[in-house]
Structures are given as C-alpha cells and as structure tokens.
Amino acid sequence: MRDSISKMIGCFFRFALLSALLQIQVVESAEVLVDRNGSGDFTSLSDAVIQSLSNGESDIITVKSGTYVSDQNVGEILTFIGSDDITIQGENSVDRPIIVIQPNIDNMLSDNIDGVVIQMGGALTFENLIFIPSEAFTIDENIDDLFAVFNAGGEGNPSSLDLTFRNVLITHSDIDHQPVTSDGFDDPRFWDNTFRDDAINVDANGPPDEPINLLLDNVVITGYGQASDSDALVLDGPQIDCTITGGSRFTYIRRRGIFAYNVQSLTIEGSDENPIIVYGAGETLIRASAGLSNWKYLWCVGLNEGDNGITTGFAARIDPNGGASVVAANCIFSTAQYDGMFMNFDSESPLSYEFHNCTFHNVPQLIRFGYVGEAGPSENVQMTVFDSIVDNADWTAPNDGTYWAPEPTVVHYGDGDNTLAILTLNNLAYRTQTFVSSASGSRTPNTENNIIEVDDFQFVSEELSRNTLNTFLVAANDALLEGKGANGSYLGGARVESETTDVFEWPLY
C-alpha cells in the first residue's frame, strides 16, 4: 500500500486528469441533478461526485430514475476521498435509480480492487438507490468488495465519518441490469451479474483508527458472493458504531450475514412490525467478536438445503477475541445445523449476557459453551435467559458421525473440563429431548420461576417467507403459556401475537 503522501498526490492528479478529459461542467450550486437522459447537470453520477468533492461545499446530488450504465456496458466508478458532506439521493423513493457499479481499477487505497471506495471524513449519505455489480465483478477474480470503507484522516489530520445507507437495495442483477429482488426474498444465486466478495466491508482496523458512525436504515442486501468468504456486512474497527434499523434484511449470503469482528458498538433496532432479518447465511447468521451489542427484534433464520445448497451452521456466535457483550430482546434464532447461540471464550474480567423474550427454534440447543475437547467459559462469564421458548425436538443431527450432541437439548455445557459459565434460566418453555448435557467439570444451569416442558408447541407458521411475516413463529399455546412470563405476561418468546407488518408498504422497485 502506498504512503499517505503518494495517495494524496495520486488522487489530485487523477481528479484533475478526469476533469480535463471529461470536460466536467463546474456547478456553482451545492445542489446538482443527475439525469442519464441529459436534462440535468450531469448524465453520470461519477462526474457529479468528482465535482462535489472538488468544490468545498456541502452537496446534495439528486439522481433521476433510470439505469446508470454506459452504452459500452461500463458502470459508475465511485471514489470518495478527503473531507466533505455529500448526500446522494434518488429523486423517486419508489422508482429508485439503478446504479451499476464498475470495479475501481485505479483505486490506490487498497491492495484489492473494489467497487465503491470510501476513505473520507465528514458525512456521506446514500438514499433511495439501488446498487448492482457490473458484469466485471463476475468475470474478474481479482475484484473484491462492492463497497469498501477505510479510515480517513491520518497523523495531524483526524477525521471521522458519518456514513448512512437509507432505503437502499444492494443485490445481483440480470444481464439487462435489473435487480434480482426488491424485498430480499428472491434467490440471487445463478444470476448474471453477481458480487465477488462482501457487499459492505468497513475495514478501519489500524492507524489512524478514526470513528466511523454507520447507519443502515431500511437496507436490503441480497447476494450470494462468488468468494467462499463473502459476507453481507463486515465491521472491523475499534471505533465503529453501527446501527441497523427500519426492517433491514440480509439474505442469501454465502458465509456470514452480519460480522461484528471488531467494533465499539452494534445496535440493531427492529420492531415486531419491521424486524431486522438475517436469512440463509451459509456459516453464521450473526457473529459478534468484540464491542457492545444490543439486538432488538432481530430474526436470524437459517436454511438447511443439504450438501448442494445453503446449510446454516450457527444462528449466532459470540467469539473470544474481543470480549463481546450482548443484550438481545425479542429475537428469533431458527434453523441451524449447530447452535442457536454458541459461545467459546473466557475472560479475566466479569462479562454478562442477557437474552429475554427470545425464540429458539429448530436448533440443537439454546446455548452451547465450548468446542469439542476444549474448556469453555469460566465463572467470569454469566448469561441470563428469561421469558424465552425453545422448540427443537424435531431437529436432527447431521448424518456425518462427527456431531458432539446426538440429540437436541436446551443447553450444552462444553466438551472439555471447567466449563463453569453461570447460566440462569428464568421463565422458560421448552420442547426438546434433553434439558441439559454437560461434560465433566461443568456446572448445571440455575432455573427459576416457570420452567415448563411443553409436549407440542403450536406455531401459526414455522416457515419464513414474504407471505408469513405476520405469523412466523407466533406461539399459539394459549392455555399452557398464559400468565407464565414475567409479571403474569404471556410466555410467547419473541412474538406474543400476530402482527401486521409494514413490508408491503416498503418502496419497491
């Protein structure tokens, strides 16, 4: 990677050269219009961005509806460098413009070739837009992420970034540049133009470690990347604060849906009417390795298609390297080959975790501490689960002879010695074959208040689709669960009653 001086010099000459070659019109106003048909200030979004970065003003770039790709089938090349305040918004929130992203071959910020490259301070907002990869992402194996975000600033020039995606769709497309989906429920595999690796990768782990505030509001990412390690959202930086709201969805992901590898905080703010959904990731639906995580109305729902398709490993994982802390409320963890929640680490300092009003469905157990043959967390780790339900009696172990727990259970306490994490279960309704499995040296969980074994759970719907959002995993065992939760509430786990979602009111392409 080149040093910072070379980057600044290179970027200056690159912008100057592009401006001269393209004869870009200088726009005095901070508001510009992009129209591919020629009625605006620019016909190309790339040109409008270059102008906005050079004028020293706060800019609003409005993009008219249409598909932004050249007659030679070349997409937009977007690079954001320096410090600025830029908003790029589709003029029509329903008929959103389709921005075809071309690989940024001239990118000097990384050893990789990415699509949209962001290394700026200030504020950058994408709103009412559809982003799809050009065919080059499928053809060229050297291409990496669709959106690549890096630290701005540097020694003597600190700079933080407020980065917002609002009402944005990121997905695959056909050969005519039409998006595969609008709501995330359509399978993107085997389409023409596909992602190579991650949809959004925030790589801010290392000097200067500047703050990045990332907001994803009503964002749909649907894309089965071609690289084996492709994820929907990767967060890697000690000062990243990420918030996900507004019914965002991450679907059909080859490896991980949300990967909070190194963050300061991850806040997921859904609602029963508009949950945050991670669906059909191949390894892990959500994985937290560091920072403070607060999850509300997060639905993690896997797939089990067998050897030739997507088989979700973990619904959720908490990893050892950063001492991640998690509070989860009204969350669903459904359909995984291994665990609803997997935790394998210890801590010298006390750590506490809380899961309340959650539903664990078709996973081998609610929680597993520890790998095969390794000690799990010590008593420094405390977890409390209350007002939750577990229904995994119909789950079956993979038929490969390697699985450590041949029958579904509520909790598995490690496969090595000294798995002494303190687990408290308070108001739990469950349907499973075994309540606790544990290895030598392990501790049994504390059980308090209503611990109810239910012979047969009744759910209004157990299959997630666009047509079952209102009824998915809504418990219907009224007589058994009535008054069994905290303060005499209904013990329904994540969902107390059927709700009408807002999904069909979302802006659709």
Side-chain angles (χ1 to χ4, degrees):
M1 188 176 291
R2 309 184 185 190
D3 59 14
S4 58
I5 296 177
S6 298
K7 291 177 185 176
M8 290 187 290
I9 294 174
C11 293
F12 172 83
F13 283 110
R14 181 167 177 251
F15 289 150
L17 178 60
L18 284 172
S19 298
L21 292 175
L22 299 172
Q23 296 181 343
I24 294 175
Q25 175 186 358
V26 177
V27 180
E28 297 293 340
S29 172
E31 297 187 10
V32 298
L33 179 66
V34 179
D35 182 7
R36 61 186 296 274
N37 295 318
S39 66
D41 303 299
F42 300 95
T43 58
S44 163
L45 177 57
S46 305
D47 296 349
V49 168
I50 292 172
Q51 169 62 35
S52 297
L53 287 167
S54 66
N55 64 12
E57 301 181 38
S58 297
D59 295 272
I60 297 177
I61 302 173
T62 300
V63 186
K64 282 188 168 292
S65 301
T67 302
Y68 287 80
V69 65
S70 72
D71 294 338
Q72 290 75 38
N73 209 32
V74 176
E76 301 280 0
I77 299 176
L78 299 175
T79 304
F80 299 86
I81 302 175
S83 182
D84 214 323
D85 186 346
I86 298 175
T87 295
I88 302 174
Q89 61 184 18
E91 184 181 51
N92 190 321
S93 63
V94 177
D95 186 10
R96 292 173 287 182
I98 300 170
I99 313 299
V100 181
I101 298 301
Q102 189 72 10
N104 201 324
I105 303 297
D106 295 329
N107 170 33
M108 294 177 293
L109 304 178
S110 170
D111 294 330
N112 300 320
I113 299 172
D114 300 301
V116 180
V117 177
I118 301 170
Q119 188 181 38
M120 64 176 282
L124 177 60
T125 298
F126 301 100
E127 186 171 1
N128 302 335
L129 300 167
I130 296 173
F131 291 99
I132 59 175
S134 72
E135 63 181 1
F137 276 83
T138 302
I139 297 172
D140 191 342
E141 294 184 357
N142 296 315
I143 297 170
D144 204 33
D145 306 317
L146 194 69
F147 281 83
V149 184
F150 304 97
N151 269 135
E155 185 176 353
N157 184 31
S159 183
S160 62
L161 172 64
D162 294 326
L163 177 60
T164 299
F165 294 82
R166 179 175 290 113
N167 190 29
V168 167
L169 169 64
I170 302 173
T171 190
H172 296 175
S173 74
D174 63 17
I175 198 169
D176 296 321
H177 305 298
Q178 296 304 301
V180 62
T181 189
S182 59
D183 61 4
F185 281 111
D186 301 287
D187 193 336
R189 290 173 286 181
F190 315 113
W191 279 58
D192 297 302
N193 299 336
T194 61
F195 300 156
R196 172 61 54 183
D197 200 353
D198 305 328
I200 301 176
N201 183 6
V202 184
D203 184 1
N205 187 17
D209 289 334
E210 297 294 342
I212 295 179
N213 301 310
L214 175 63
L215 171 63
L216 280 70
D217 178 28
N218 190 18
V219 171
V220 174
I221 296 175
T222 299
Y224 195 73
Q226 294 189 346
S228 61
D229 59 350
S230 60
D231 306 321
L233 174 64
V234 179
L235 305 170
D236 184 8
Q239 292 203 70
I240 297 174
D241 289 297
C242 177
T243 301
I244 304 174
T245 63
S248 295
R249 297 178 177 182
F250 310 88
T251 64
Y252 292 99
I253 309 300
R254 183 179 286 269
R255 187 174 66 162
R256 298 166 185 152
I258 300 173
F259 186 21
Y261 178 72
N262 183 21
V263 299
Q264 182 163 279
S265 69
L266 171 60
T267 302
I268 296 178
E269 286 279 357
S271 66
D272 199 32
E273 296 81 7
N274 262 330
I276 310 301
I277 298 176
V278 185
Y279 175 71
E283 179 206 272
T284 309
L285 297 165
I286 186 166
R287 188 167 176 173
S289 298
L292 304 176
S293 286
N294 195 325
W295 307 340
K296 294 180 180 178
Y297 292 97
L298 169 67
W299 295 5
C300 294
V301 183
L303 285 171
N304 186 9
E305 296 179 339
D307 294 338
N308 296 321
I310 296 175
T311 298
T312 300
F314 301 93
R317 286 189 64 166
I318 303 173
D319 283 335
N321 61 310
S325 176
V326 176
V327 175
N330 296 95
C331 294
I332 290 173
F333 304 95
S334 174
T335 311
Q337 188 176 30
Y338 297 117
D339 304 290
M341 174 62 61
F342 171 67
M343 181 184 296
N344 176 54
F345 69 92
D346 196 15
S347 174
E348 295 181 358
S349 301
L351 288 175
S352 61
Y353 302 86
E354 180 180 300
F355 291 79
H356 66 88
N357 297 97
C358 291
T359 297
F360 296 83
H361 168 258
N362 196 26
V363 293
Q365 57 270 315
L366 176 156
I367 175 70
R368 173 165 67 107
F369 296 108
Y371 273 121
V372 174
E374 296 183 4
S378 74
E379 57 192 359
N380 285 329
V381 175
Q382 299 189 41
M383 174 178 286
T384 301
V385 180
F386 62 94
D387 281 19
S388 295
I389 59 180
V390 179
D391 182 8
N392 61 6
D394 296 328
W395 177 88
T396 56
N399 190 26
D400 57 9
T402 62
Y403 198 70
W404 43 263
E407 60 186 25
T409 184
V410 171
V411 57
H412 181 78
Y413 264 102
D415 290 276
D417 293 335
N418 302 317
T419 304
L420 300 175
I422 300 174
L423 172 65
T424 300
L425 302 172
N426 189 337
N427 297 338
L428 178 73
Y430 67 95
R431 185 176 78 100
T432 187
Q433 294 182 30
T434 304
F435 190 75
V436 176
S437 61
S438 63
S440 61
S442 298
R443 158 195 321 270
T444 57
N446 304 315
T447 55
E448 300 176 2
N449 297 324
N450 295 307
I451 307 296
I452 308 166
E453 184 173 7
V454 181
D455 291 335
D456 185 17
F457 261 109
Q458 299 295 322
F459 291 111
V460 180
S461 174
E462 296 188 30
E463 297 293 331
L464 179 62
S465 71
R466 60 166 55 92
N467 297 320
T468 62
L469 285 172
N470 295 345
T471 58
F472 179 63
L473 294 187
V474 174
N477 298 70
D478 294 337
L480 290 171
L481 304 179
E482 188 70 37
K484 301 300 184 181
N487 300 317
S489 62
Y490 182 73
L491 184 55
R495 311 195 72 189
V496 175
E497 60 183 355
S498 179
E499 296 283 354
T500 301
T501 72
D502 296 336
V503 63
F504 297 111
E505 298 176 8
W506 287 1
L508 301 180
Y509 166 74

